[in-house]
Amino acid sequence: MQYQANNIDDRIKALEQRKKALERHLNNSDRKARTKRLIETGALAEKFFDIDHLSLSQKEEFFKIFANYIKANTPSKFKKQK
């Protein structure tokens, strides 16, 4: 019976390691997807607002100026679904 218990313990450890590996993979995939989305959004902001010459703090100030207007006037089809 000791052999079977060790075998089961080994399988449990192997499954736990596999689970951790899958979680790492999912976290990496989520992180990569978020990074891609942020890069694309930044590129669109620079393209449509012609702000590529501004520093980061100037860009932040620029976005703050228009944020309330955009939030208040965003069509419902573009609003986050609750």
Side-chain angles (χ1 to χ4, degrees), residues 9 15-16 19 34-35 37 45 52 54 57 61 76:
D9 289 340
L15 288 172
E16 287 172 348
K19 179 183 174 191
R34 180 177 184 272
T35 299
R37 189 177 69 249
D52 55 327
L54 300 177
S57 61
E61 185 179 342
S76 59

Side-chain angles (χ1 to χ4, degrees), residues 15-59:
L15 288 172
E16 287 172 348
Q17 289 174 347
R18 177 77 174 140
K19 179 183 174 191
K20 286 180 185 179
L22 287 172
E23 287 172 349
R24 280 192 304 271
H25 175 73
L26 289 175
N27 288 340
N28 269 347
S29 296
D30 290 347
R31 183 182 50 80
K32 286 179 182 182
R34 180 177 184 272
T35 299
K36 182 178 189 273
R37 189 177 69 249
L38 291 173
I39 291 169
E40 291 171 341
T41 301
L44 289 171
E46 285 187 351
K47 175 183 176 182
F48 287 104
F49 297 123
D50 192 27
I51 58 171
D52 55 327
H53 64 284
L54 300 177
S55 69
L56 182 60
S57 61
Q58 290 172 325
K59 288 175 186 174

